[in-house]
Each structure stands twice: as structure tokens, then as C-alpha cells.
Amino acid sequence: MDPTEIVNSLATPEGRADPYPLYAALHETGEAVQIGSGDVIVIGYDAINAVLRDPEFRVSDQSVFDRMPGWQANAVLVQGADWILNLNAPRHSRIRSLIARAFTARRIAGMRPAIEAMADKLLDTIADAGADGSSVEFMHDFAYLLPVNVICELIGIPERDREAFRPVARDLAAVFELHDAATLPAINAAAIELLAYFTALARQRRAAPRDDLLSDLLAISDSGDGRLSDAELLHNLTLLLVAGFETTTNLLGNGLQIILADPPAGDAVRDGSVSAPAFVEEVLRFDSPVQLTSRIGYDTVLADVPVSAHTEVITLLGAGNRDPRRFASPGRFDALRADGGPLSFGGGAHFCIGAALARLEGSVAFPRLLNRFPKISAAGEPTRRDTLVLRGFDELPIAVA
Ligand code: HEM
């Protein structure tokens, strides 16, 4: 099959539902292929790694927005122009290193008791709702609520505000699905609402700092040497929120679906023969919550394919994770595999800043869920979200009694 046809199939509902046979077909065409539009699609594990670790491959930044007349009228682009995800060196390094200072390993590890408590509370609700054998919706009742509560807790968003937050954050997360202009008004409205909220919260934390990420970031920003402006700080808070929760929601949903389809995979976590972190790592590889990211090329040759400064380079993380040159039997879920190392958090300068937090959430959630509900099973057909970049479920009905 022609690579362009395969890539076009990826954009169809069937391709989005199950991209893996298409990835397998692409692997047979090479590590990277140029398709009809001129874009280069990178499929091989090593080639993806090379692109992400090479600073000459740049992310789309404001200079790309500048080609769209009137982009400043879109709040999400104004904020997005400051997101570290959309910045190149040296601005990227400056802002990322400041954010990383408030995002320490200690702070993340210190979140464990709070994550455990939040997970247990959600499991209590599921136990009540499912006690009589009725079906419970895992995506809504757990996979969605845990990460959004965790990210709110980390930033320092009070519990009473979180309920109102979730739908807004979800609207904003639609920005990751590249091509749907119809969603732009809702995305902009969400961006405006979140920014207004963070601006007000920052005012409160400035007056009375607490032990949270927002207070830490404000202290860095207020140190007076102009290293982090208020706008940069506030805009990147909205990024943390959107980057941090739907991705982790999908990790939880994709992992549970693997267990429902293959109960021994869950038994192994329950009886401890597979550690929770090893299980999470294999879920990330097997069914990556983020399937792709992209870069702008430069004059070079990538796995025998010429690339120029005008080439959009799309790295298929989900395909790299199934590269037969890198992983033995890539289509087999095997949490004990020795050849781990998924590309699901990216690589290089933009490597996911929340990877440790997401791993922690998964490692806390799966054993608790499985031990609490030894009889957990599917209670109907799951429905996938019809999305290409973020891969996950809309609904995953389960029975727990
Ligand atoms: C399973 C969950 C997650 C997955 C699969 C994931 C995936 C990714 C990937 C692939 C990138 C790199 C994108 C690129 O190179 O273009 C990234 C970047 C990022 N992620 Fe995550 N992420 C997850 C959870 C989180 C969490 C929990 C947070 C925040 C608390 C977060 C915040 C970010 C930020 C801020 C960036 C941008 C980093 C930069 O550009 O320097 N992510 N993530």
C-alpha cells in the first residue's frame, strides 16, 4: 500500500479507532516517509528519537502563528504563544527551567498520599454506585476525575472551585486536536475563563502564599529580575492544566481496557508479580495516550528522506512504540518485557514535564482499583474518543460487584 494512502486512512474514523494495523503497514515502508502533501511522517523508534532530541527540529512557535492574519484575536493562541510546548530555545529553556524548579521530584513524590486519598474516595463512590451490580462509567467516574483533581491539588486550586473547572479544562484540551476550526470559539472562551481564574487566584496567593506550585512560581516571578513575566507564568498554568489531565485520563482508561480484555494482565498487578510502574510503562507503550507530535524541519536527510525548512515533520509516537525493529512482538502486551522505553512522553528538550506525576498517578490507581474490585469486568461496549492526537475512551462501562 502507498504510504500516502496509509496515512490518509489514519485520519478516517476506522483508522483513528485502530491505527495499529496501519502503523504496522507503515513500518514496512521505512523509518520515515514523505507523503503527497510534502509532510514527512516519522514512524521508526530511532528516527523519532533523533528528531525529538535534535534542537534544529523546532516546534511551531509564534513565528508560525504570525502567518495567520489576526491570530491575536484568539485567546488560546495568545496564551499558546507563551506555552513552553510552543517555544524554542532560548525562550523555551528560560521558562521551562523556571517552571521545572517549582515542579520538583520532591513535590511530585510528596503528592502520593493525596493521590491515594483521592483515588480511594473515587473508588468509594464507584463501590456504592456498583454495589447492586449496576454498570459504572469508569471514564467519567474515575479516569477523568482523578487527574483533574491531582493537577488542581498540585497547582493549589481550592477544592470548591474544581467542579466548575473540569468542563472548561476539557474544552481547552480540544486545542490538541489539530484541524477542527469549529471548536475554536469554545476553546477561546475556555482560555479566557481559565486565565481570569488564575489571575484572581494569583492575587490571593501573592497576598498569602501557601505550599503549592502557584505560590512557588509567583515567588520565582516576583524575585524581581524579570526572569518570568506574569503573563508567561499564568499562560503556562493553563498549559499545565490541559496537558496534565486528559493525557493521564487516557493512560488510566487505556490501561483498564487492556485489563478488561486480558484479565491475567490485571491479575499479575493484583498479585504483585508485575509491579505497578512496570504495568504503567507497558500501557504507555502499548496504547500511547498521545499518538503524535510534530516539528518543523531544516535542510537535512532523515532516514533517507530529504527534509527542508518548509517540511512539517510528524512523529508518530504510537507507531514508534510498536516498532518491530525496537520491540520484540510489539503487538503483544507484556509488562515484564525487558526492552521497555516507550516514546509516549516525547524526548529531548520538550520531554513531558509531568511524566513523573502521570506515572505516579497510574502506579497508585491501578493496584488500588484492582485490589478493591477483584471481580471488575466490562459491562458493555467501550466507546473510543474519535481523536487522532490524544488516544482514549469516551466511555468504559464496568461492573465491580
Ligand atoms: C500519561 C500522561 C501524559 C502523557 C502521555 C504526556 C505526553 C507528553 C508529550 C508526548 C509531550 C511532548 C510533546 C512534544 O515534544 O511536542 C509532553 C509535554 C508536556 N507535558 Fe505531558 N504528558 C502526560 C502528562 C502530563 C502531566 C500530568 C503534565 C502536568 C502536570 C504534563 C505537562 C506537560 C507539559 C507542560 C509539556 C510541555 C513541555 C515542554 O514543551 O517543554 N503532561 N507531554
Side-chain angles (χ1 to χ4, degrees), residues 232-256:
E232 288 167 346
L233 189 167
L234 294 170
H235 293 167
N236 276 289
L237 281 184
T238 62
L239 170 63
L240 287 184
L241 195 74
V242 294
F245 94 91
E246 194 150 335
T247 45
T248 315
T249 296
N250 292 345
L251 164 66
L252 298 173
N254 295 358
L256 182 61

Side-chain angles (χ1 to χ4, degrees), residues 117-176:
M118 285 184 242
D120 286 344
K121 200 167 150 194
L122 295 172
L123 294 177
D124 287 344
T125 313
I126 292 180
D128 287 346
D132 59 358
S134 42
S135 138
V136 182
E137 217 301 288
F138 179 76
M139 294 314 292
H140 180 264
D141 291 348
F142 191 88
Y144 181 52
L145 293 182
L146 183 68
V148 77
N149 280 320
V150 169
I151 191 85
C152 286
E153 176 81 18
L154 175 77
I155 294 175
I157 295 162
E159 216 166 330
R160 61 172 183 280
D161 295 346
R162 293 179 192 170
E163 186 76 29
F165 238 80
R166 292 180 204 125
V168 189
R170 187 160 207 175
D171 279 349
L172 189 58
V175 73
F176 293 130

Side-chain angles (χ1 to χ4, degrees), residues 84-85 92 96 103 151 243-244 247 293 295 344-345 350 352-353:
I84 52 174
L85 195 61
H92 175 261
R96 175 160 171 139
F103 220 88
I151 191 85
T247 45
T293 183
R295 296 291 186 265
S344 313
F345 291 120
H350 292 272
C352 177
I353 211 168

Side-chain angles (χ1 to χ4, degrees), residues 91-103:
R91 229 186 136 205
H92 175 261
S93 342
R94 170 175 61 84
I95 301 181
R96 175 160 171 139
S97 66
L98 293 171
I99 293 175
R101 276 177 40 184
F103 220 88

